[in-house]
Amino acid sequence: PMGRPGYLTLPIFAVLAAIGYVYYTTVFVAVAGWLGLSTAAGVANAAAFTALAAACLATYYAAVSRDPGRVPPAFLPDVEGAETPVHEVKRKGGDLRYCQKCGHYKPPRAHHCRVCKRCVLKMDHHCIWINNCVGHENYKIFLVFVLYAVIASFYSMILIVGSVIHSAPKDEQLSSDSSRTLIIICGIILCPLTLALSVLLGWHIHLILQNKTTIEYHEGVRAMWLAEKGGDLYHHPYDLGVYENLISVRSPKQILLYTPLHKFAHLYIPKNSFLPILNNVC
């Protein structure tokens, strides 16, 4: 039961511990030892990194706690309606997709999650690091968290490298305390973490430009192979063009990046209505 959404799990505690450790080492070891926390440069860098860390925590909490998107219990596909130009059907038989476990029809792009034990709208994947699915309602905030985490990781590495270079001439003094150990451990955490987060961010930007989810990407690989085998060209049915794909994530008047100065409630992106999923396939 501890693996179900809504519960604090070991991976979540690991993420929080990593954020806390990197923050402490960056601000109170690297910045304090290099620039000092009583100088203008030291205070400015400490404040900037604190704001990034706070943004990471706030967006992470939102990604963990926000429902990824539930299928309305009364949903029925309107096959004859002009407002629903796209219907997904089963691979075999051509019937409309129906979830036997949930006992209802699946809207386009919805999938059943075995961990969450329910269908999720526009499901991308189930993430163990947030103990939640990434879907229609929390995909944007999940992406913002990854973006903040990448920026914070690079910023932390710059500050730590600067601290190490600055303290190199004082190697004997540095080795007399625990600063070196803290920085080495922080570097061991940051290097693979920064690489993994950067790859993850790049991957999702690639998906957004094609209006795909991770599930749809893997399904599309097989669909493309089958199309080419039959001499046809495969086109992702939800690809609306780069610009339209981008604004399907955020409208032109709303940027993807949330600033940490916003009220915490603003981190919860206003819920979109269920209808655009069917009408605009986004």
Side-chain angles (χ1 to χ4, degrees):
M2 291 302 290
R4 294 178 183 174
Y7 288 95
L8 293 177
T9 58
L10 185 59
I12 290 179
F13 281 116
V15 171
L16 295 176
I19 293 174
Y21 184 86
V22 170
Y23 173 77
Y24 175 83
T25 304
T26 302
V27 174
F28 296 102
V29 178
V31 175
W34 177 21
L35 302 171
L37 294 178
S38 59
T39 65
V43 171
N45 279 279
F49 192 75
T50 299
L52 274 174
C56 285
L57 286 173
T59 51
Y60 181 69
Y61 173 79
V64 169
S65 60
R66 182 160 189 175
D67 192 290
R70 292 180 177 272
V71 177
F75 168 74
L76 288 174
D78 184 7
V79 180
E80 299 179 356
E83 297 296 324
T84 56
V86 175
H87 293 284
E88 293 182 351
V89 297
K90 295 180 180 179
R91 295 178 183 175
K92 296 181 180 180
D95 297 328
L96 292 173
R97 297 164 68 237
Y98 185 86
C99 182
Q100 298 291 344
K101 295 180 180 179
C102 295
H104 58 61
Y105 286 98
K106 294 183 190 177
R109 316 187 81 172
H111 296 274
H112 186 88
C113 176
R114 290 177 294 179
V115 180
C116 297
K117 301 186 185 306
R118 63 183 178 89
C119 289
V120 176
L121 295 175
K122 198 181 177 183
M123 179 178 172
D124 187 89
H125 69 287
H126 184 89
C127 180
I128 63 169
W129 300 105
I130 64 173
N131 190 33
N132 198 3
C133 274
V134 177
H136 176 67
E137 296 293 344
N138 67 347
Y139 179 79
K140 291 164 258 189
I141 201 66
F142 171 80
L143 191 63
V144 173
F145 162 68
V146 175
L147 177 60
Y148 273 134
V150 169
I151 296 172
S153 297
F154 275 109
Y155 192 11
S156 177
M157 290 184 70
I158 292 171
L159 293 174
I160 286 176
V161 169
S163 173
V164 170
I165 294 174
H166 172 75
S167 63
K170 307 174 184 179
D171 188 65
E172 295 81 5
Q173 180 180 351
L174 182 63
S175 61
S176 62
D177 53 37
S178 61
S179 298
R180 170 179 289 180
T181 302
L182 290 172
I183 287 179
I184 289 175
I185 294 175
C186 191
I188 292 174
I189 294 174
L190 275 176
C191 287
L193 183 62
T194 304
L195 177 61
L197 288 172
S198 299
V199 171
L200 181 63
L201 179 62
W203 168 249
H204 279 284
I205 291 174
H206 171 71
L207 292 177
I208 287 173
L209 294 177
Q210 300 180 68
N211 201 1
K212 290 182 180 179
T213 64
T214 300
I215 293 175
E216 289 168 354
Y217 169 81
H218 292 294
E219 290 179 343
V221 171
R222 174 175 172 78
M224 184 181 298
W225 177 78
L226 291 173
E228 291 177 352
K229 187 177 179 181
D232 299 323
L233 291 176
Y234 172 76
H235 176 75
H236 180 56
Y238 303 104
D239 188 355
L240 307 173
V242 173
Y243 177 73
E244 293 293 333
N245 292 342
L246 284 172
I247 66 173
S248 71
V249 178
R250 296 303 289 161
S251 69
K253 297 181 180 180
Q254 296 173 307
I255 56 176
L256 183 64
L257 183 64
Y258 288 86
T259 66
L261 300 179
H262 283 176
K263 292 181 180 180
F264 180 73
H266 290 176
L267 293 172
Y268 288 86
I269 305 167
K271 292 185 178 181
N272 297 327
S273 66
F274 179 64
L275 193 57
I277 303 176
L278 301 180
N279 293 344
N280 301 329
V281 258
C282 63

